[in-house]
Structure formats: structure tokens, C-alpha cells
Amino acid sequence: MKAWPIALAALLALDVGDARVAEPDATNPDLAKPDAQRGKRALFTRAFVPAPWPLAAYDNVWKVWEPAAKEKPADYDQAFRRRYGLHPPPYPNGKLPMGLREGRLLFAKGVATDCLLCHAGSIFGTSYPGLGNAALDIHALFEELGKATTGSGRLPFKFSNVRGTSEAGAFAVYLWSFREPDLSIRLQDRYDFELRDDLCEDVPAWWLLKKKKTMYFTGTTDARSVRSIMQFMLTPDNTRAVFEKEESTYADIQAYILSLEAPKYPLPIDRELARQGEGLFNRTCAKCHGTYGAKWTYPNKIVPMETIGTDATRFHGLSRKLGEHYNRSWFGAKYPSMEAKGYQAPPLDGVWATAPYFHHGAVPTLHDVLDSNSRPRIFTRSYGTGRDDYDAVKVGWKVEALSQGADPKQPGIERRKVYDTTQPGRGNGGHTFGDHFSDAERRAVVEYLKTL
Ligand code: HEC
Ligand code: HEC
């Protein structure tokens, strides 16, 4: 068999070597009941993919960095985290950041990735599992660790077009092209599911899932589906039996996700202004985003494209052919994938922490969400996540507007720091529901959003 691309192996199989760590205790009568603590333990202690790189790749990758470093950076773990947009873990993980962990590579130690690569972030110096990682350059991470391992960093498609977003959908499409509906492997003549790698997906916060009846940006899957979030294990080395065996682990992980709460805004809030904003919000926004507080409501609305008007690339991005294939498989047996009807209006809990905004992160602040004319066309930011990188007035990331797109002569890791809304998948139009506000009204609504 031809070697599976390293990157593919990285993302997807199950690290059976680690299985004993979270092996369910068969004598436990609660086994059938999903358990958040068990799910948390699985997430924090297991790699669900085999290690694609030896541990040495972590220590040596600085040698392939551009511009070339003369010697290993002094605080290496921190330099590594900064370069790729990774964060210190709030759980024991050796020297590795959240999202990477020690795994097994044949008979040696290796570095593997896990869900927290994309689904854990940091803000004001605190790391939060469940906060989407808005700093990550996943393309650079895989490319450069690949180079440090084999000399070649070639990836089968773009893992990301712009820093902080990833082509998560393309991973699934790519993996499914090797699978029959009965989950056996198709070695020749792979399926063509019209893979697109320009969806520029901004990772949704996990703490929102508990309010949702449907998940994913287009609401195409029942939020109760456990199997759907196992698609990252579709690497060719996993048999159907592995999926069946691990379904209960993923039910535990889902229970952990459903137990998460949004972090509270840590800076001062003008309560009187926020109260005025609440009234405006409830009149203008609540019909799609719900109401907040003890008696919250959430309407679970999928808003048609002609009403929402945000970039349609993600909406059209996953083919019907793939959906039908999924539905003929074990994955779609209980909760089939449904046709996309628009974008889901997400709950806004903890929205102060989840900039940039919309499914593709095209809008850096809440102020700009509420004034479509003030949105920057081409911009960059520090990609740091500290207080100094944060704009507490507009609420979101401080950005620097640029007059032109990225210089094609720059290395990819620099080019991906430029968000160019004229590029495919990155349009910043639509969602004009705040345009009619006066400046004072908009300030009040933004103040209210800080309290959610
Ligand atoms: C490469 C980055 C990446 C990795 C790794 C990743 N995810 Fe995600 N995840 C995403 C993105 C992006 C979305 C939004 C996808 C969409 O709607 O198109 C998402 C969506 C989800 C959702 C639905 C959230 C919602 O509110 O709609 C869940 C649940 C989820 N992921 C769980 C997991 C689990 C569990 C793992 C590990 C097995 C994982 N993810 C690994 C990027 C990632
Ligand atoms: C007709 C329904 C609708 C109305 C009314 C509406 N929104 Fe939205 N909103 C959406 C949808 C759908 C999205 C997701 C769009 C996307 O990701 O492309 C969204 C996204 C957002 C986001 C970004 C969330 C994130 O995590 O990226 C914010 C913030 C937001 N809306 C705030 C508001 C406010 C404040 C109002 C009232 C002024 C409002 N919305 C009115 C449907 C609506």
C-alpha cells in the first residue's frame, strides 16, 4: 500500500496504543450513561490519531523556520506556541501545547494532534478548552513538522487559507473519498466528493452546543449525533469495529462538551448602557439569536441565504453526493445529514471571547458585525490573544487595515496573516441587521453583548 499522506494519518486514526488510559470499566453499571468527567479525561489524556511525527520533529522544527534562526530560540516552547498559534494546557501535557500530545509512532515516541488543536484557545492569558482557536496556523504546523520529519512538507490540500481558520470540512471530504458506505477501504479510484479547500471555517465555541438542536454552521446534523463528531477518525487504518467500540467514548466527550459554560467578560461593564442595549437587542436580534438570562430562549433558526447574505462559499461547500454517501453509512444511520437551508443563527453566550465573527471569521469586532459599512476590507492582526491584542471598545481583536492583499513573494506563514475579504470564501457582506442603529444605539448593544 502506498504510504498514506502523513498529514492524513495525523488527523485521523485512533491511537490504540493509548486506549487503556480511558478504557471504559466494564464493571461500571453507569457505562451506558454518557459521563462528562470520563469525556474530559478522554480528551485530556488520549490522542485519537496515531502520531505522524517523531518527538524529535517538535524539538528540531525551528531549523526549517523562515527567516532562518541561527540557534534554537531561548524559550523554545513559547516560541513554538507563538509561531503556530497554540496555547499552554490547563492539564498535564509535558512541554507540549494544547492540541498536541505524546503519542506512539511505530515503536518510538511521537507527536500526535487532538480535537483541542482547533477546539481550545486562550484569551487574556487563560486557556479554555472549548474556545475555538482563533490564532492557529494549522497549515504551517503540518507543513513544517512534515518538513522536519521527512524533508517534505507537502499537504494534499490547503489546510488553511488564512490564519485562525481551517479547512475542517475538506478533511472530512478527503477521508470519505477512501471509504465505501460500509466503511471498508476503497484503495483505487477514490470517490470524488468535490473537495473544496476555500471554506475558511472559524471554529465555533463548544459551549454553544447545549442550546442547539442542529449543529454545524448550516445546521445539517442533529446536535445529538455522536457519530458525526467521530469523522476525524476516518483514517484508513481504522476499521468499522474501532468506530463501534469508541462510540461510547465519544458519547462521553459529547457529554463533556455539553457541560461547558461560556467564560464571563473580565473587564468593567457599563451596566446602565448595557440595559439600554438589552431593549434594542430584544426588539431587533432576539427573534434569531434568542434571549439571555435565567429564563433564556433560543429559537434554533436556520436563516435562508437571501436573508442573511453572508459569504455563501461554506453554504455550497459540501456536496450533496457526500451527504448521500454519509447517509448510506454507519455514520448517518441514526442521525442522517440534512440538506443545507442557510446559516444557523448561533447563540451568543460568551461572544465577547469568540472574535473574529461569522462562520468564516471575516469580521474582527462586534461593532463591525453591527455596521456592515465599517468592516475592514483587508486587514491583519497580531494573532496574540492577550489584553493588549484586544479591542474593548469595538469588542474583538485589534486589527490593522491594509491597502492591498498579501505579497505573493512572502512565505505562506506571513501571507496567511492577511485576511483579504476580496478572496474566495472570505466575503464580508451580509448580516446588515445593525446598520440602522445610531452610534449610541450600537454602543449600547455592544455593551449588552459583553454581558452574555
Ligand atoms: C481542524 C480543526 C478541527 C479539529 C481537529 C476538530 N474540529 Fe470540531 N469543528 C471544527 C470546525 C471548523 C467546525 C465547524 C464546522 C462546520 O460547521 O462546517 C467544528 C464543529 C464541531 C462541532 C459542532 C459545533 C457546533 O456548535 O455546531 C463539534 C461538536 C465538534 N466540532 C467536535 C469535535 C471533536 C470531538 C473533535 C475531535 C475528535 C473535533 N471537533 C476536531 C474544527 C475542528
Ligand atoms: C434574521 C436573523 C438574524 C437577525 C435578526 C440577527 N442575526 Fe445575528 N446572525 C444571524 C446568522 C444566521 C448568523 C450567522 C452568519 C454567518 O455565520 O455567516 C449571525 C451571526 C451573528 C454574530 C456572529 C456570531 C459569531 O459567533 O460569529 C453576531 C455577534 C450577531 N449575529 C449579532 C446580532 C445582533 C446584535 C443582532 C441584532 C442587531 C442580530 N445578530 C440580528 C442571524 C440573525
Side-chain angles (χ1 to χ4, degrees):
M1 192 199 315
K2 251 179 61 194
W4 298 102
I6 268 192
L8 164 64
L11 269 159
L12 307 151
L14 179 79
D15 184 356
V16 217
D18 262 14
R20 88 204 112 75
V21 179
E23 185 81 62
D25 171 5
T27 59
N28 180 346
D30 286 343
L31 199 63
K33 221 170 86 206
D35 181 274
Q37 280 310 313
R38 255 190 340 242
K40 181 178 178 180
R41 202 163 57 238
L43 265 178
F44 289 5
T45 60
R46 292 184 59 186
F48 289 93
V49 295
W53 314 291
L55 208 49
Y58 175 87
D59 292 314
N60 293 330
V61 68
W62 64 273
K63 293 178 187 162
V64 309
W65 288 358
E66 287 177 54
K70 284 206 187 60
E71 53 188 54
K72 192 168 182 171
D75 191 345
Y76 185 65
D77 297 334
Q78 186 183 14
F80 183 96
R81 292 195 300 263
R82 282 228 179 107
R83 182 167 180 89
Y84 302 112
L86 295 165
H87 313 280
Y91 51 87
N93 202 32
K95 62 189 174 187
L96 299 177
M98 287 195 286
L100 297 182
R101 67 177 55 252
E102 259 190 38
R104 291 210 328 202
L105 181 75
L106 293 177
F107 303 106
K109 278 186 177 172
V111 182
T113 61
D114 59 44
C115 311
L116 301 174
L117 189 62
C118 299
H119 284 288
S122 143
I123 190 158
F124 298 178
T126 303
S127 295
Y128 293 96
L131 171 63
N133 187 355
L136 177 67
D137 187 338
I138 191 174
H139 194 95
L141 179 74
F142 276 76
E143 190 173 65
E144 295 183 354
L145 285 173
K147 263 189 209 162
T149 303
T150 62
S152 158
R154 263 198 71 214
L155 305 179
F157 53 90
K158 280 188 226 157
F159 281 18
S160 123
N161 289 273
V162 53
R163 189 164 182 153
T165 70
S166 64
E167 297 302 323
F171 293 137
V173 176
Y174 184 66
L175 290 172
W176 275 109
S177 72
F178 297 98
R179 292 272 177 173
E180 299 291 356
D182 69 3
L183 301 187
S184 63
I185 296 291
R186 182 185 180 97
L187 282 174
Q188 256 130 45
D189 188 21
R190 282 166 42 200
Y191 282 109
D192 177 4
F193 291 128
E194 299 153 38
L195 182 145
R196 297 188 60 158
D197 55 3
D198 58 358
L199 310 188
C200 304
E201 301 193 79
D202 176 46
V203 183
W206 269 350
W207 59 75
L208 303 176
L209 190 65
K210 59 169 161 306
K211 284 190 176 178
K212 293 182 174 177
K213 285 206 167 71
T214 49
M215 64 180 172
Y216 304 134
F217 294 125
T218 45
T220 46
T221 303
D222 191 301
R224 288 168 297 181
S225 176
V226 169
R227 294 181 181 182
S228 178
I229 58 176
M230 298 177 75
Q231 290 179 81
F232 274 90
M233 289 170 45
L234 278 167
T235 36
D237 39 356
N238 278 329
T239 60
R240 184 184 175 120
V242 175
F243 291 101
E244 286 169 354
K245 172 171 173 283
E246 293 300 336
E247 191 177 5
S248 67
T249 308
Y250 273 78
D252 291 339
I253 289 175
Q254 186 191 56
Y256 170 68
I257 293 174
L258 296 176
S259 76
L260 292 172
E261 296 288 342
K264 291 270 169 262
Y265 188 72
L267 305 174
I269 293 177
D270 180 338
R271 293 284 160 188
E272 174 50 29
L273 190 60
R275 205 189 48 77
Q276 292 166 24
E278 179 171 13
L280 291 162
F281 182 92
N282 286 343
R283 281 194 293 283
T284 320
C285 322
K287 63 174 181 278
C288 291
H289 292 289
T291 57
Y292 298 80
K295 293 189 187 149
W296 61 269
T297 59
Y298 176 60
N300 270 292
K301 251 194 203 157
I302 313 289
V303 182
M305 292 312 296
E306 57 274 21
T307 309
I308 187 68
T310 47
D311 191 290
T313 310
R314 168 66 186 82
F315 174 73
H316 295 297
L318 299 173
S319 68
R320 176 188 290 251
K321 218 169 125 191
L322 176 67
E324 288 166 355
H325 190 79
Y326 177 98
N327 288 350
R328 281 196 299 275
S329 78
W330 177 84
F331 281 80
K334 199 161 172 194
Y335 296 116
S337 167
M338 299 168 283
E339 205 181 327
K341 300 237 160 52
Y343 287 127
Q344 178 154 356
L348 300 176
D349 304 271
V351 73
W352 69 270
T354 64
Y357 299 106
F358 297 148
H359 67 277
H360 55 340
V363 177
T365 66
L366 289 175
H367 172 277
D368 292 342
V369 165
L370 297 184
D371 182 0
S372 68
N373 298 308
S374 76
R375 295 174 190 162
R377 204 169 136 263
I378 305 174
F379 57 95
T380 188
R381 59 184 166 103
S382 67
Y383 285 94
T385 57
R387 176 65 186 90
D388 290 345
D389 307 292
Y390 191 81
D391 184 335
V393 176
K394 289 183 159 185
V395 182
W397 300 120
K398 282 184 188 159
V399 295
E400 182 195 340
L402 302 173
S403 53
Q404 52 190 18
D407 178 351
K409 291 199 286 291
Q410 290 269 307
I413 196 166
E414 295 304 322
R415 287 199 313 270
R416 283 186 296 272
K417 288 179 186 163
V418 175
Y419 202 114
D420 183 344
T421 64
T422 67
Q423 294 299 307
R426 278 162 269 180
N428 69 355
H431 195 289
T432 53
F433 313 113
D435 282 6
H436 66 282
F437 287 142
S438 68
D439 284 347
E441 287 173 327
R442 192 171 295 115
R443 266 201 307 279
V445 175
V446 168
E447 203 65 14
Y448 174 62
L449 292 174
K450 292 177 182 173
T451 70
L452 305 186

